[in-house]
Amino acid sequence: MISDLKGKHFLSCDFWTKPELDIAFDTAFDLKEKFKNETPTRYLQDKTLFMIFFEQSTRTRNSMEAGMTQLGGHAHDLTADKMQISHGEAPKDTAIILSRMGHGIASRNCFYGVGSEYLKEMAAYSKKPVMSLQDDIYHPFQGLADLMTIFEHFGKNTKGLKVTVSWAYADTHSKPLSVPQTQILLFPRYGIDVTVAHPKEFPLTKSIVDKALKNAEEGGGSLKFTNNMDEAFEGAQIVIPKNWGGFGYYGVNEYLSNEDACKKEMKSNLEKYKSWICDEKRIKLADKNVKLMHALPADRGHEVTDEILDNPEISIVFDEAENRLHTAKSIMALTM
Ligand code: CP
């Protein structure tokens, strides 16, 4: 595949222009069709992608690895603990070396105040494209799959579509801010009206919110905030109930210098909001044709009830998850 995007890093959808993103969507739709028809798409024959995971993953890891195989190449599934990274090797050195051995580097590093900087440093020194598989600020592949799924269910003219991104209770782990932040940055660029609901102790990062408001102004969408989950569900055409940690309540330096105390406070704040769940009662507040989206994994019974998540009239979460494959292949095929 010959592309003007060859060599371009993919660290955030926000670092790609709308025409560039539109090429990525067109390519993803084409690849999805070819996947269904079993048409070969060996655009990356004999090419190598190095994937470095600092955290667990199901969708991201497998969409990238399966994607590389389907594109005719190979992905190394690496974890930081198996590499010299665990002995302190610098991201700069890791990037220079891997970029001389293969054709792309991708990494997931969600440590708050660390992950995005780590990826930026790799990108600064890699001669090959560097892709974020999620960091503490952005989850660009998720954003692409989300919007592709919205296009499939609501059409490509998304002007005025009402999407609610709501914090929800979960007791699994403190999830990064990167999914809702990617959504608020991206959706309003496509004319979507986004409402974000969260308890006051679980804000998103101020600089990202400021940028998202600017994107909304330029893209013809809108972005508003509330601390009331019911209010945010009223009339929504898509609801995305998802937990995120209370990282945005602290500055990065404040968090990193008092990590244990902040984690303890986050945990006690979390327990105040067990009622923040997407259930039948809340779904009834939304538009009658409302769709449920979620990046997954979902914390069933906490973020969303089984009744809603498993309702095929409402839930499009598995379309969204499948689209991780097609969007992953699109970005790899265009950039590598
Ligand atoms: N949505 C998502 O990124 O899933 P994984 O954590 O399983 O990769």
Side-chain angles (χ1 to χ4, degrees), residues 53 56-62 108 133-134 139 142 179 294-297 324:
F53 283 89
Q56 299 82 350
S57 165
T58 296
R59 280 139 290 270
T60 307
R61 184 191 305 279
N62 291 296
R108 166 173 288 192
L133 301 178
Q134 185 175 24
H139 195 352
Q142 186 64 51
V179 171
H294 193 298
L296 303 178
R324 292 296 309 274

Side-chain angles (χ1 to χ4, degrees), residues 183-213:
Q183 291 164 341
I184 66 165
L185 285 165
L186 180 62
F187 295 171
R189 293 175 74 188
Y190 284 79
I192 295 174
D193 295 328
V194 178
T195 300
V196 179
H198 63 79
K200 63 182 189 322
E201 298 91 342
F202 292 86
L204 299 175
T205 305
K206 186 172 177 326
S207 58
I208 296 294
V209 170
D210 289 345
K211 181 63 175 39
L213 287 165

